[in-house]
Amino acid sequence: MAVNTGAGRVRVRTEGAVATVTLDHPGRLNAITVAMWGELADAFGRLSADRDLRCVIVRGAGGHFAAGADIREFPQARADADRVMAYHRHTIAPALRAVAECLHPVVAAIEGVCVGGGLEIASRCDLRLAARGARFGAPINRLGFPMAPDEMRGLLELAGRAVTLEILLEGRVFDADEAWAKGLLTRVVAAEALESELLATVARLCAGAPRAARLNKWTAARLCGGAAPLSDAEWRACFAYADGPDHRQGVQAFLQGDDPVFTGE
């Protein structure tokens, strides 16, 4: 399915249990327009509700992930303080939140440029695979503004305060090996190996129990989200899988030396 957003678009394709979300803005290194941010949020809202999916891939078209927000829109979209705040809180933040809160595992396949808003999107994915030639950074200090709180959240969770401040205060663009060393990436592979590594990763994700994946995502977010102890209801939710068919199927298949067939329940 292609979502037309003028010069740029967000394309969504579903094949079996895997959906691919592609950022596509020809000639602009997939710079993300206001409309594309909205379409990204809508796409992930729909995909998260699709219980038949096992995995979502995010990537860019034309050999690049994304070069951040489309700066050509700034004179209108960010013309004064009120519109700046609305742009970041009500345009970008919901899209990043939709990626982070997706029910299914989300994998970013990164090549080429992945800076600014592109890095923000990648940081909200669960796994990040990058070609060695990819480039990363957030040189927005040269545009005269800081990173908004909801956008900084992903970098802080991945790399911590010191690395996040280094990235933002220096505004330097760096390579994939350095991004991996900083904790921003899951794996770095040669450019020609990215597709095969992506396919292998997706296969591993799809082979696992969907309910376990959803619970792992929920538990990680909950434990990192605050110091409040788990409630009794939350503890029960963590172990609700125990009486489900997937848990029984997984144990039985292991004991019999078979491959499990999970239904997501």
Side-chain angles (χ1 to χ4, degrees), residues 5-162:
T5 59
R9 58 183 180 172
V10 173
R11 292 190 281 113
V12 181
R13 184 182 77 252
T14 300
E15 295 182 282
V18 180
T20 300
V21 177
T22 303
L23 308 171
D24 188 359
H25 194 167
R28 298 288 298 166
L29 300 178
N30 302 325
I32 308 160
T33 64
V34 168
M36 289 172 69
W37 284 115
E39 296 296 346
L40 186 64
D42 290 344
F44 267 92
R46 293 193 304 273
L47 294 173
S48 186
D50 185 349
R51 290 300 185 107
D52 292 328
L53 290 177
R54 301 285 181 93
C55 175
V56 180
I57 300 166
V58 183
R59 65 190 320 165
H64 294 281
F65 192 76
D70 193 338
I71 300 171
R72 296 181 302 178
E73 294 184 327
F74 282 13
Q76 289 74 42
R78 301 173 82 257
D80 53 44
D82 286 341
R83 276 182 278 187
V84 166
M85 185 163 64
Y87 174 78
H88 288 279
R89 294 190 65 190
H90 304 306
T91 297
I92 296 181
L96 297 177
R97 187 163 55 249
V99 175
E101 295 179 355
C102 182
L103 191 69
H104 317 292
V106 181
V107 183
I110 304 168
E111 55 188 336
V113 171
C114 180
V115 300
L119 181 58
E120 293 167 5
I121 292 170
S123 74
R124 303 310 277 164
C125 297
D126 300 305
L127 302 176
R128 287 155 297 282
L129 311 180
R132 183 150 278 112
R135 306 285 288 174
F136 300 85
I140 56 176
N141 60 343
R142 282 171 261 174
L143 295 172
F145 61 89
M147 184 171 281
D150 285 324
E151 296 160 51
M152 190 186 295
R153 191 182 311 277
L155 288 178
L156 284 171
E157 290 179 357
L158 283 180
R161 178 179 181 273

